[in-house]
Amino acid sequence: MIRVLIADDEPLITAGIRTVLESDSGIEVVAEAADGRTAVERALAHRVDVAVLDLNMPELDGLSAVRELAGVPVVILTAFGIEPNVRRAIRQQVAGFVLKNCTPDELIRAVRAAHAGEAYLSPQVTRLVLDMVSPDDTDRRDTAAARLAVLSPREAEVLQLIAEGLSNAEIGTRVHMSEATIKTYVSRILSKLDCTNRVQAALLARDGLG
């Protein structure tokens, strides 16, 4: 059972997040908070496995709370995926950064990924990251191309769509496959490329696939 804390200063949002997460039989919401300071205290007191924090909260914002959570994986949930927030999130190595317009399944995936020691960013956030990082030199492109050579043509096609910021469902529609099949492809691609998340793979694709 994954023990989760939810922190958001809007009670209706908190209730909705709880409903979504507890629809998964492997997730239990054990604590809630309406501000960042209380979130830190309750997360540590309840020894949670994952903390889902709103970005903008009283007392202490979500990203500032990350520094005080003593290694607890944090998923940032926000209505705003603007560039400075993404930069701060990446710098502080949050486990997930998800927009509030995500699907219930995406939020559950983010929490499960965080618990597994992986990173999860919404497809929209992946697009922002790609826009933030400028193209690199020829040597890096050659290195990326060599790493990508282990992929099959279909895997390379799926990776290119990941790099475009598409979700698994959108990729499935594009290549006429089920979302479950695409999930399998994504896992295989990350394993082959030794990447821990979609953003790392997408950056490789941009450098190596052109």
Side-chain angles (χ1 to χ4, degrees):
M1 186 68 71
I2 303 172
R3 296 166 55 82
V4 176
L5 168 133
I6 301 168
D8 195 295
D9 59 347
E10 298 183 49
L12 187 60
I13 297 295
T14 301
I17 296 171
R18 173 186 280 274
T19 298
V20 168
L21 293 181
E22 292 193 335
S23 70
D24 186 308
S25 61
I27 296 175
E28 179 184 10
V29 176
V30 297
E32 296 179 359
D35 65 79
R37 177 59 57 201
T38 302
V40 171
E41 294 171 354
R42 291 181 179 173
L44 298 178
H46 288 269
R47 298 183 179 181
V48 301
D49 298 310
V50 178
V52 178
L53 307 181
D54 184 26
L55 181 65
N56 298 308
M57 293 185 290
E59 304 296 333
L60 200 66
D61 68 49
L63 290 177
S64 296
V66 172
R67 294 193 297 269
E68 301 189 27
L69 280 172
V72 175
V74 172
V75 173
I76 293 294
L77 185 63
T78 177
F80 308 102
I82 57 177
E83 182 175 318
N85 294 335
V86 177
R87 285 185 182 277
R88 286 182 65 200
I90 292 173
R91 196 160 54 239
Q92 295 192 32
Q93 298 183 325
V94 300
F97 194 104
V98 181
L99 302 186
K100 285 185 176 178
N101 64 355
C102 72
T103 64
D105 183 58
E106 185 177 349
L107 179 57
I108 290 171
R109 288 202 305 272
V111 168
R112 286 197 164 276
H115 182 250
E118 302 169 355
Y120 184 92
L121 280 77
S122 288
Q124 302 98 312
V125 178
T126 299
R127 295 188 192 106
L128 282 173
V129 173
L130 292 174
D131 289 341
M132 284 160 44
V133 181
S134 60
D136 217 326
D137 57 29
T138 302
D139 287 343
R140 177 159 184 167
R141 290 182 178 277
D142 290 344
T143 299
R147 289 181 65 184
L148 295 173
V150 302
L151 301 181
S152 70
R154 177 63 84 179
E155 289 167 346
E157 180 183 13
V158 171
L159 177 58
Q160 184 64 64
L161 296 175
I162 291 173
E164 292 177 17
L166 273 64
S167 66
N168 288 348
E170 291 168 334
I171 294 172
T173 298
R174 185 78 66 87
V175 299
H176 308 293
M177 292 184 181
S178 70
E179 184 175 357
T181 299
I182 297 302
K183 287 181 183 178
T184 300
Y185 267 99
V186 172
S187 296
R188 189 183 306 153
I189 289 166
L190 295 181
S191 177
K192 282 188 173 184
L193 298 180
D194 194 27
C195 292
T196 58
N197 58 65
R198 297 168 76 99
V199 172
Q200 291 180 357
L203 289 170
L204 267 180
R206 192 201 56 179
D207 288 340
L209 297 177

